[in-house]
Each structure stands twice: as C-alpha cells, then as structure tokens.
Amino acid sequence: SIYFYFIQADDMVSYNRKIKKMPISNRRIKMSAIIAAVLFSIITILNILLILGLPLGEFTMGGQNKVLPEKLRIVAVFTLLIQIFAIIIVLQAGGYLTQWFSIRTTKILCFAYAVFLLINTFMNLISYSKKEKYTMTPLSLISAICFFLTAIRI
C-alpha cells in the first residue's frame, strides 16, 4: 500500500517534468483545449437536463420556454450530439485523444466551432432572457476563444 503511493508520487513528478519540458505553445494548446472541453461539458450537462424536462429553458433558445416542448427537445438531442462531437474534436486537437481525423481536418473543425460559437455568442447577447444573456454569453465567448487558440496552435 505504501509502495503504491510512492509509485504514484513518482509518476506525478515525472508527469510534471514532462509538462515543464513541453514548449509553452504546447502547454497553451492543452490548456485552451481543456478549458473548451470543460465549458462545453457544462453546456452539454445543461442540454441533457433540458432534454429530461427540467425547467431550465430560460438558459437556451431565446429563453422562451421554462420547460422545452417535445419538438425542441428533439432539436436539443441533435444539439447534444454536436456538442459531444465538439468536445471530442477539441480534446483531440489538444492531444488528449487519439487522432480520428487528420490535423488539417481537426484544425478546420476547431475553426468552424469557433465561428459557430461567436455567432452563438452574438445570439445569446441579444436574447430577451437575462439568464441566457448573462450566463450563456460568457460561456460561448470563452469557448470560442479557446477553440480559436487551439486551432491556431495545432
């Protein structure tokens, strides 16, 4: 048991040395990829809760419905799939997942998501829902910046 802890501590020291030896640009790619993945995961969890019928509709789709109607829940399922794919792409770009696509394709997808998120940021900003405006706007803007940074530095 004590031996196990020493191995873990030694592995952590080794990992920290690898990170410190890594060029700064690689560390930034990894950091921006993680931030984007975490923020998108938060949005994905919100989307799952919306699909399940929780009264969180004011945070999305213009905030017109507290509980999403059936048709909008179907849209939310497709949105969920797109969000999960975005998380996979950004983690792949950050080097956390094996390559599903070429580096060029991954870069293009990161830029596409960044542009999509900028449009989303603008739409959230003009939303009538204060919850959507003040919560989702910063999330989508920071995510867009992280996707851009990750794509530029791949």
Side-chain angles (χ1 to χ4, degrees), residues 128-140:
Y128 292 114
S129 168
K130 287 184 180 182
K131 290 180 180 179
E132 182 175 19
K133 184 182 292 188
Y134 297 124
T135 305
M136 302 312 281
T137 301
L139 281 175
S140 60

Side-chain angles (χ1 to χ4, degrees), residues 35-86:
I35 292 169
V38 167
L39 292 177
F40 244 70
S41 296
I42 292 168
I43 296 167
T44 301
I45 290 167
L46 174 68
N47 210 1
I48 291 168
L49 296 174
L50 287 165
I51 292 167
L52 294 174
L54 272 73
L56 300 169
E58 292 174 296
F59 288 96
T60 186
M61 298 185 193
Q64 297 173 359
N65 305 294
K66 281 195 174 198
V67 176
L68 291 184
E70 287 293 319
K71 288 182 182 179
L72 288 181
R73 287 185 197 181
I74 294 169
V75 172
V77 169
F78 288 110
T79 304
L80 178 70
L81 297 174
I82 292 168
Q83 291 167 344
I84 291 170
F85 186 69

Side-chain angles (χ1 to χ4, degrees), residues 71-104:
K71 288 182 182 179
L72 288 181
R73 287 185 197 181
I74 294 169
V75 172
V77 169
F78 288 110
T79 304
L80 178 70
L81 297 174
I82 292 168
Q83 291 167 344
I84 291 170
F85 186 69
I87 293 168
I88 291 169
I89 291 300
V90 78
L91 288 175
Q92 175 184 313
Y96 291 102
L97 294 177
T98 57
Q99 295 286 325
W100 287 13
F101 304 103
S102 69
I103 291 173
R104 182 174 184 265

Side-chain angles (χ1 to χ4, degrees), residues 89 92 99 101-112 151 154:
I89 291 300
Q92 175 184 313
Q99 295 286 325
F101 304 103
S102 69
I103 291 173
R104 182 174 184 265
T105 303
T106 302
K107 189 172 198 155
I108 290 169
L109 287 169
C110 279
F111 275 123
I154 293 178

